[in-house]
């Protein structure tokens, strides 16, 4: 548990120092106040308000339907729950790709209305103008390369990316472009571990991997996946730290049983 009296808040500078010291960076998603409070107290470095909220909170098949207003609602709830962690918010699909001015407006809304500390954006050279414009406003940007779920209809599959040399080379170049533009970190999703290690070594800024092996500077997982709330999703890279689906089912089953059998509430549980 975090010692909140002696705590050092996580900033983008702290993350840079962690990379220099070789200290691994931890990131998990959260979308609400209560979960954010728990994972912040447990000592997580970065809380990502991911657009995976579209899947795990709203039940959509992809991350595409979630809106900027939804992301701001989730992000402001998370910000109220944290003390130490850096809160990074995904810019949702359709709010930054085509027009860098619109991208800046979207990022400003997230920063102003949620109180978060940074935004994350999927893509490389094709979004570089938007990345640069957002950075000029003093908003820290985290990049995201490899399997970028907002492009699922282009990829057609959630399988591992950059296994062949052209795509791998493009990813190396995009990572460098994002670093040169001023991003403070880059998520590398579902790419070969050797490539992720090579890119991490070549960059001065930290990389955060998901399904990208152990040689990245940090790791990220979707909270609902690693807690075993979400049972349907079990890719090779996912380590389940709990089976909350079973735990919650057990608790709810017991509650139903107790109410039906007039065991709850008992004499001590009433006024
Ligand atoms: O939206 C999300 O949860 C993400 C992580 C998988 C990196 O982008």
């Amino acid at each position: 548990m975090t010692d909140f009296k002696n705590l050092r808040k996580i900033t983008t500078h702290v993350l840079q120092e962690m990379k220099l010291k070789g200290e691994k960076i931890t990131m998990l998603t959260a979308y609400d106040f209560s979960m954010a409070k728990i994972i912040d107290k447990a000592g997580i470095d970065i809380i990502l308000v991911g657009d995976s909220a579209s899947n795990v909170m709203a039940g959509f098949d992809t991350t595409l339907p979630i809106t900027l207003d939804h992301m701001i609602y989730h992000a402001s709830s998370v910000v109220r729950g944290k003390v130490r962690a850096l809160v990074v918010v995904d810019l949702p699909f359709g709010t930054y790709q085509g027009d860098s001015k619109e991208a800046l407006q979207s990022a400003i809304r997230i920063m102003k209305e949620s109180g978060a500390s940074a935004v994350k954006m999927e893509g490389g050279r094709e979004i570089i103008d938007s990345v640069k414009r957002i950075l000029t406003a003093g908003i820290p940007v985290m990049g995201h390369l490899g399997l970028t779920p907002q492009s699922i209809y282009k990829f057609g599959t959630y399988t591992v990316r950059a296994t062949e040399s052209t795509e791998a080379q493009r990813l190396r170049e995009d990572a460098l472009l994002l670093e040169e533009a001023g991003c403070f970190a880059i998520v590398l999703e579902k790419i070969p571990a050797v490539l992720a290690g090579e890119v991490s070594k070549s960059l001065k800024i930290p990389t955060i991997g998901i399904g990208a092996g152990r040689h990245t500077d940090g790791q990220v997982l979707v909270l609902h996946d690693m807690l075993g709330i979400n049972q349907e999703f079990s890719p090779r890279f996912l380590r389940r730290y709990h089976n909350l689906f079973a735990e919650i089912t057990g608790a709810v089953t017991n509650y139903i049983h107790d109410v039906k059998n007039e065991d709850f509430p008992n004499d001590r549980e009433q006024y």
Side-chain angles (χ1 to χ4, degrees):
M1 290 276 271
T2 304
D3 173 7
F4 278 108
K5 277 195 214 106
N6 296 311
L7 99 119
R8 185 176 182 204
K9 288 196 183 194
I10 303 295
T11 63
T12 57
H13 297 280
V14 172
L15 299 175
Q16 186 63 59
E17 282 171 25
M18 287 169 81
K19 166 139 185 161
L20 286 173
K21 283 191 279 186
E23 181 184 343
K24 292 283 185 183
I25 297 164
T26 57
M27 178 158 103
L28 281 173
T29 64
Y31 319 101
D32 68 280
F33 170 80
S34 302
M35 287 292 191
K37 197 167 168 182
I38 294 171
I39 67 174
D40 183 66
K41 276 204 169 193
I44 204 77
D45 296 317
I46 308 175
I47 302 179
L48 172 66
V49 185
D51 57 0
S52 49
S54 182
N55 308 101
V56 294
M57 300 304 284
F60 289 113
D61 285 340
T62 73
T63 57
L64 275 65
I66 201 158
T67 66
L68 192 55
D69 285 336
H70 293 145
M71 291 304 294
I72 289 169
Y73 168 76
H74 286 299
S76 55
S77 309
V78 165
V79 168
R80 285 191 289 274
K82 69 93 195 178
V83 176
R84 172 182 174 271
L86 184 86
V87 177
V88 180
V89 184
D90 263 330
L91 277 177
F93 176 69
T95 65
Y96 63 95
Q97 287 93 344
D99 173 352
S100 64
K101 284 190 184 156
E102 189 193 351
L104 178 58
Q105 287 315 313
S106 306
I108 287 175
R109 276 202 64 203
I110 286 183
M111 301 299 280
K112 256 189 196 296
E113 295 176 40
S114 76
S117 303
V119 296
K120 177 164 83 59
M121 301 162 70
E122 296 184 5
R125 64 200 71 186
E126 66 282 7
I127 59 151
I128 206 72
D129 289 345
S130 296
V131 169
K132 285 181 180 163
R133 195 180 278 263
I134 291 171
L135 283 161
T136 60
I139 300 171
V141 176
M142 177 181 273
H144 185 160
L145 296 172
L147 177 65
T148 45
Q150 291 178 13
S151 302
I152 187 58
Y153 290 114
K154 181 178 83 179
F155 297 144
T157 162
Y158 285 103
T159 194
V160 62
R161 304 304 314 173
T163 50
E164 48 88 24
S165 60
T166 316
E167 194 176 331
Q169 184 53 25
R170 188 180 165 93
L171 188 142
R172 287 186 196 97
E173 291 167 10
D174 281 346
L176 213 56
L177 270 180
L178 292 171
E179 174 170 274
E180 281 164 8
C183 286
F184 71 90
I186 300 177
V187 167
L188 297 176
E189 179 162 353
K190 232 174 168 187
I191 62 170
V194 171
L195 176 63
E198 186 200 313
V199 170
S200 304
K201 229 174 165 181
S202 73
L203 297 180
K204 292 182 201 73
I205 57 171
T207 58
I208 316 279
I210 174 163
R214 66 165 74 95
H215 302 298
T216 50
D217 301 300
Q219 296 292 331
V220 55
L221 285 175
V222 169
L223 186 65
H224 290 61
D225 297 338
M226 62 86 79
L227 290 178
I229 296 176
N230 182 8
Q231 296 281 297
E232 290 88 41
F233 185 64
S234 37
R236 163 148 46 138
F237 70 77
L238 175 63
R239 186 177 293 181
R240 282 223 173 82
Y241 285 84
H242 206 55
N243 187 349
L244 261 193
F245 185 92
E247 293 273 326
I248 294 172
T249 304
V252 172
T253 310
N254 288 342
Y255 168 72
I256 293 168
H257 175 270
D258 291 352
V259 173
K260 298 274 187 200
N261 290 285
E262 298 184 28
D263 178 57
F264 175 80
N266 64 25
D267 290 347
R268 281 170 287 110
E269 291 162 334
Q270 63 187 12
Y271 300 98

